[in-house]
Amino acid sequence: MYKIVKKQDLAPNITRFSVEAPEVARSRKPGQFVVIRAEETSERVPLTIVDSDPEKGTIDLIIQKAGFSTTRLVSFEVGDGFLDVLGPLGRPTDMEKYGTVVCVGGGVGTAVLYPIVKGLKEAGNEVITINGARNKELLILEEELGAVSDELIITTDDGSYGVKGFGSTVLQGLIDDKKNIDLVVAIGPTMMMKAVAEVTRPYKIHTIASLNAIMIDGTGMCGGCRVTVGDEVKFACVDGPEFDAHLVDFDEQIAKHHYYDKEQKCQMDLMIDKAEEERA
Amino acid sequence: MAEEKRTRPPRKKPERIPRQEMPVRLPEVRNKDFNEVALGFTPELALIEAKRCLQCPKHPCVDGCPVSVDIPGFIHLVSEGDFIGAAQKIKETNLLPSVCGRVCPQEEQCEQVCVVAKIDKPVAIGRLERFVADYEREQGAVELPKVAPSTGKKVAVVGSGPAGITVSYELLQAGHKVTIFEALHELGGVLVYGIPEFRLPKAIVAAEIETIKKLGAEIKLNMLIGKTRTIDALLDEDGFDAVFIGTGAGLPMFLNLPGENLNGISSANEFLTRVNLMKAYREEYTTPIKVGKKVAVIGAGNVAMDAARAAKRVGGDDVEVSIIYRRARDQMPARAEELHHAEEEGIIFNLLTNPIRFIGSENNAVTATECIKMELGEPDDSGRRRPIPIEGSEHTVETDTVIVALGTTPRKFISETTPDLKTSKWGTFLVDEETGKTSKKGVFAGGDIVTGSATVIKAMGAGRVAAIAINEYLAGL
Ligand SMILES: Cc1cc2nc3c(=O)[nH]c(=O)nc-3n(C[C@H](O)[C@H](O)[C@H](O)COP(=O)(O)OP(=O)(O)OC[C@H]3O[C@@H](n4cnc5c(N)ncnc54)[C@H](O)[C@@H]3O)c2cc1C
Ligand SMILES: Cc1cc2nc3c(=O)[nH]c(=O)nc-3n(C[C@H](O)[C@H](O)[C@H](O)COP(=O)(O)OP(=O)(O)OC[C@H]3O[C@@H](n4cnc5c(N)ncnc54)[C@H](O)[C@@H]3O)c2cc1C
Ligand code: SF4
Ligand code: SF4
Ligand code: FES
């Protein structure tokens, strides 16, 4: 059992947890993730380690309700425990000094981005962060990102806060302003990462995307997380989750995300039925 | 081991008793659920079968068994009705008889060299082994072995497949403290995530593992060594005196053909993990699984048969499951019994056929497999006749689900983080065969991580060899 010691709602549908996992806390590096199984009948869900405290032996996770499994995870309370927490998995981000780095986060991808922004800043980079959300209510980690970025630009799709529009558009603006950019890191919905990759491609700005491939074990055993990167097939859980965004076949990833749509909808419907039964 | 004294009745003339068939469930019934296919001998059948053993003084069968089970010894006890004694006899060298009796390729091992095979079908050693082990467990007669006084020495066992289980059992008996580190959320390795319930019920594996827990092993699940902790940290910081690595060969190989990343194409490991470890076939589990109406399984080993038969069960009555294999029938590497069961259950064998690409729909789902016909040419390095494509024989087969079962190689988490561990170009660990010693002091290895994918009993044999060497190593510290 991996005990939950803290729980905090960040936005509608987005919750932050601190979970006791001392072995993970002491070896984890930014960019890595865990695989969590909530209870015996649950799926294994990959989640980024947003922060960790090796002293207290805790890791922080930010979970967005996307479907059945994440909804179940978010229903856990302080004092409860997750049955299994495996990690740290994946390759850590290369924390070098690149110069000027623009980090583009969207939705819950912002949670994945946060430890990377923090690490890149500590490595001596000038970090400009573009934090995007659909609307003001859904925006997360504004304060935290502000504290570790040289400049923070907020975007909302509906203009309810910050700049109206997408992160990719703001990035294009920075490039047009002749800003010298050495690296772009994009983490968020697959469509958004694809858009960012298309913005930087003509300028040959090295761009990294952190893929949220479908995973089962997270240990290189199933190949369910295969991604096509250039001419090669890679396993996102072992070789990633970060890859060169100019080489990733994003369309393939988008298609993979819809493969189990029907089965997942069934699970959700069952869960809703059950909740209604209980209420009645 | 095999040389110890045995009390044997005088040699008898061979009695002409036919090999006893083991009751199995009807194919059209069993291919709809995950309950066990073979039902096992009854005591009566076991008594008759045991009479077929000639109690040969040279007992070639024992040499055919990778862990030298005292086969005539245990069969003699069976013939006297002492089933529990027989089980205990086997356990002197084989800790998991109820597993091995079910999954050993007996026809290539103990039974292949049985003397009776010269005149008739061999003695059903595996079935007898399975029977006595099941009998012992069902009677609640399994006794914990004696444990030597504590030595104060600590050993880390990495991986909990047959190799790791065997090493742990032996070292615990020798009085050492054992901690098992397992990456997954359950112990058992391939026995739990690979081999399906209908062939090896998980309750049996769990019962065997229970023994190790009772002997005092400390269990650490969700520990991916090389990531969560390194081998060096175990030795230098955590105070382990020795490490055994039994991490198997878990990395699935793919065909590297165009279209292989389409939706609906998975490795056998993924498919079987969803089914077995994640119990997708049980309603209360939330793991999604998808089987269409036309399933193609690429490969013809045990793994391919397991995947095909599991797909049939998940997919339901109107699903058509075919094996696509580039060689001929008698070259299929799966166990004879598994091939037979698969065929009975309605699996189609598409032999001398090789896939060349996968074709998808606009939403990226596989819709067809393009194949080419093959013919057999000259023998290759493995001695098998090499399959050669027949030009112009390309054809497409409607397919909505593809399961690739080509074999597996070791993963690199440990070798990448432990540079002084020597590996081959295939990623397998280089060890001294007599001891399981690796190139690193205090580190031993065995099972599929050394041999590449092999068998349960070979992994167990390697575990025994390593345990003896580890005992010696610890005594010298
Ligand atoms: C390396 C990695 C790190 C991640 N980090 C985080 C994180 O820090 N916080 C967080 O909230 N989520 C994170 N995710 C995504 C998270 O794992 C998925 O949202 C979750 O698995 C969805 O499960 P579900 O049953 O709730 O939804 P489902 O019902 O399975 O799916 C709902 C929707 O989410 C999509 N989806 C399914 N699986 C994934 C997946 N693995 N990744 C992305 N989308 C998926 C589906 O296509 C569908 O559209 C990460 C994913 C990966 C691979
Ligand atoms: C589907 C299938 C069917 C098979 N059928 C048969 C059969 O009928 N008969 C037969 O004899 N053989 C069969 N085999 C082969 C047999 O199962 C293997 O040869 C045997 O299990 C190898 O045992 P092992 O202990 O070496 O490794 P495994 O059983 O592979 O166990 C290794 C364990 O180590 C864990 N691990 C891996 N890396 C790490 C790490 N870094 N840190 C911590 N833990 C780690 C894994 O999660 C796993 O639990 C089959 C295999 C498969 C896949
Ligand atoms: S362990 Fe396997 S090979 Fe050895 S006697 Fe038993 S069935 Fe035969
Ligand atoms: S070779 Fe066959 S007949 Fe002879 S002892 Fe072994 S099992 Fe019995
Ligand atoms: S999740 Fe199974 S190999 Fe990556």
Side-chain angles (χ1 to χ4, degrees), chain A residues 40 44 221-222 226 259, chain B residues 185 260-261 267 269 285 290:
Chain A
E40 175 54 33
R44 296 163 63 97
M221 187 187 88
C222 73
R226 323 205 276 298
Y259 187 56
Chain B
H185 60 251
E260 200 171 8
N261 262 8
S267 71
N269 265 10
Y285 283 75
K290 206 156 165 165

Side-chain angles (χ1 to χ4, degrees), chain A residues 45-48 62-64 66-70 108 212-214 257 264:
Chain A
V45 179
L47 295 163
T48 304
I62 294 182
I63 309 179
Q64 178 175 42
F68 180 84
S69 302
T70 42
V108 79
N212 47 9
I214 305 278
H257 274 284
Q264 260 135 8

Side-chain angles (χ1 to χ4, degrees), chain B residues 85-99:
Chain B
Q88 283 162 352
K89 179 109 236 137
I90 300 172
K91 283 190 176 170
E92 286 170 11
T93 60
N94 175 355
L95 303 171
L96 307 175
S98 49
V99 174

Side-chain angles (χ1 to χ4, degrees), chain A residues 2 23 26-27 32 37 40-44 68 84-91 216 219-222 224 226-228 233 235 238 252 255-256 259-260 263 267, chain B residues 183-185 193 220-224 227-229 250-252 254 260-261 263-265 267 269-270 273-274 278 284-290 363-364 411 413 416:
Chain A
Y2 297 78
E23 301 282 0
R26 75 169 154 175
S27 43
Q32 290 187 298
R37 205 168 68 117
E40 175 54 33
T41 52
S42 304
E43 273 190 86
R44 296 163 63 97
F68 180 84
D84 297 293
V85 176
L86 162 68
L89 303 172
R91 293 198 187 278
I216 297 106
T219 70
M221 187 187 88
C222 73
R226 323 205 276 298
V227 295
T228 304
V233 175
F235 284 14
V238 179
E252 173 190 284
K256 279 191 190 284
Y259 187 56
Y260 287 110
E263 287 73 9
Q267 287 286 354
Chain B
L184 292 173
H185 60 251
Y193 79 71
K220 291 199 155 206
L221 299 174
N222 301 313
M223 292 287 282
L224 182 63
K227 283 284 182 189
T228 318
R229 206 94 186 105
L251 179 75
F254 284 90
E260 200 171 8
N261 262 8
N263 280 350
I265 305 185
S267 71
N269 265 10
E270 174 179 346
T273 299
R274 284 183 187 274
M278 309 298 297
E284 65 274 31
Y285 283 75
T286 56
T287 313
I289 188 127
K290 206 156 165 165
N363 62 357
N364 237 41
R411 284 167 285 170
F413 299 111
E416 275 179 0

Side-chain angles (χ1 to χ4, degrees), chain B residues 280-298:
Chain B
Y281 66 93
R282 281 170 51 181
E283 211 170 285
E284 65 274 31
Y285 283 75
T286 56
T287 313
I289 188 127
K290 206 156 165 165
V291 171
K293 293 291 162 229
K294 302 261 179 205
V295 182
V297 178
I298 319 285

Side-chain angles (χ1 to χ4, degrees), chain B residues 52-249:
Chain B
R52 298 183 66 230
C53 172
L54 308 175
Q55 297 289 322
C56 321
K58 286 217 176 105
H59 50 70
C61 52
V62 177
D63 305 323
C65 167
V67 297
S68 310
V69 165
D70 178 358
I71 295 166
F74 100 77
I75 296 184
H76 171 60
L77 289 166
V78 174
S79 70
E80 296 198 326
D82 183 2
F83 303 144
I84 291 170
Q88 283 162 352
K89 179 109 236 137
I90 300 172
K91 283 190 176 170
E92 286 170 11
T93 60
N94 175 355
L95 303 171
L96 307 175
S98 49
V99 174
C100 295
R102 285 175 167 80
V103 306
C104 258
Q106 289 107 7
E107 69 272 19
E108 297 168 14
Q109 297 179 347
C110 53
E111 293 181 15
Q112 187 182 42
V113 288
C114 170
V115 172
V116 177
K118 288 187 186 144
I119 44 165
D120 192 1
K121 288 186 183 153
V123 176
I125 302 169
R127 293 170 182 180
L128 286 170
E129 182 167 318
R130 166 191 166 140
F131 166 74
V132 296
D134 286 355
Y135 184 90
E136 184 196 29
R137 191 183 56 256
E138 282 156 15
Q139 299 291 314
V142 178
E143 274 175 32
L144 283 187
K146 284 199 199 72
V147 170
S150 169
T151 61
K153 297 283 195 304
K154 274 173 67 180
V155 183
V157 172
V158 184
S160 64
I165 294 174
T166 307
V167 167
S168 303
Y169 190 94
E170 302 263 347
L171 293 176
L172 286 162
Q173 279 189 67
H176 308 305
K177 205 174 164 320
V178 169
T179 307
I180 302 177
F181 295 91
E182 168 55 50
L184 292 173
H185 60 251
E186 243 177 81
L187 296 180
V190 170
L191 305 183
V192 298
Y193 79 71
I195 305 180
E197 178 80 16
F198 57 79
R199 200 149 73 79
L200 178 63
K202 300 307 152 224
I204 289 173
V205 181
E208 303 286 7
I209 285 171
E210 203 46 42
T211 312
I212 296 176
K213 291 188 183 160
K214 283 198 191 128
L215 289 177
E218 190 185 347
I219 312 287
K220 291 199 155 206
L221 299 174
N222 301 313
M223 292 287 282
L224 182 63
I225 300 302
K227 283 284 182 189
T228 318
R229 206 94 186 105
T230 60
I231 297 289
D232 284 321
L234 293 177
L235 287 167
D236 304 339
E237 295 167 31
D238 301 347
F240 287 101
D241 300 294
V243 176
F244 174 81
I245 303 174
T247 46

Side-chain angles (χ1 to χ4, degrees), chain A residues 13-14 31-34 43-50 61-73 108-109 111-112 190 210-215 236-237 241 254 256-261 264-265 267-268, chain B residues 288:
Chain A
N13 287 339
I14 303 183
Q32 290 187 298
F33 63 96
V34 285
E43 273 190 86
R44 296 163 63 97
V45 179
L47 295 163
T48 304
I49 307 163
V50 174
L61 308 167
I62 294 182
I63 309 179
Q64 178 175 42
K65 283 192 208 169
F68 180 84
S69 302
T70 42
T71 305
R72 183 74 191 116
L73 283 169
V108 79
V112 181
T190 312
S210 178
L211 299 185
N212 47 9
I214 305 278
M215 295 186 181
C237 70
I254 293 167
K256 279 191 190 284
H257 274 284
H258 292 296
Y259 187 56
Y260 287 110
D261 277 358
Q264 260 135 8
K265 179 143 186 320
Q267 287 286 354
M268 276 307 271

Side-chain angles (χ1 to χ4, degrees), chain B residues 250-405:
Chain B
L251 179 75
M253 291 196 272
F254 284 90
L255 293 146
N256 296 319
L257 291 179
E260 200 171 8
N261 262 8
L262 288 166
N263 280 350
I265 305 185
S266 68
S267 71
N269 265 10
E270 174 179 346
F271 186 76
L272 289 170
T273 299
R274 284 183 187 274
V275 171
N276 302 325
L277 182 71
M278 309 298 297
K279 309 203 172 52
Y281 66 93
R282 281 170 51 181
E283 211 170 285
E284 65 274 31
Y285 283 75
T286 56
T287 313
I289 188 127
K290 206 156 165 165
V291 171
K293 293 291 162 229
K294 302 261 179 205
V295 182
V297 178
I298 319 285
N302 285 324
V303 182
M305 293 309 135
D306 284 347
R309 296 171 71 196
K312 183 87 191 172
R313 284 160 171 78
V314 174
D317 266 349
D318 49 345
V319 59
E320 188 184 296
V321 182
S322 343
I323 293 279
I324 299 186
Y325 182 51
R326 64 198 177 112
R327 297 178 193 255
R329 185 176 183 100
D330 53 4
Q331 296 171 314
M332 296 170 95
R335 292 182 55 207
E337 189 180 335
E338 303 314 325
L339 287 175
H340 176 63
H341 282 162
E343 204 159 33
E344 278 187 343
E345 287 169 15
I347 308 298
I348 300 159
F349 290 169
N350 226 331
L351 305 175
L352 289 167
T353 303
N354 209 19
I356 46 182
R357 82 184 165 110
F358 300 101
I359 301 158
S361 62
E362 67 271 28
N363 62 357
N364 237 41
V366 65
T367 54
T369 306
E370 184 170 338
C371 297
I372 190 160
K373 282 279 176 199
M374 311 291 278
E375 61 190 351
L376 292 180
E378 295 298 304
D380 63 11
D381 297 344
S382 71
R384 294 183 298 180
R385 289 176 65 195
R386 189 195 304 271
I388 308 163
I390 304 176
E391 236 176 277
S393 69
E394 293 85 353
H395 57 286
T396 56
V397 186
E398 195 191 328
T399 329
D400 52 19
T401 310
V402 177
I403 304 172
V404 181

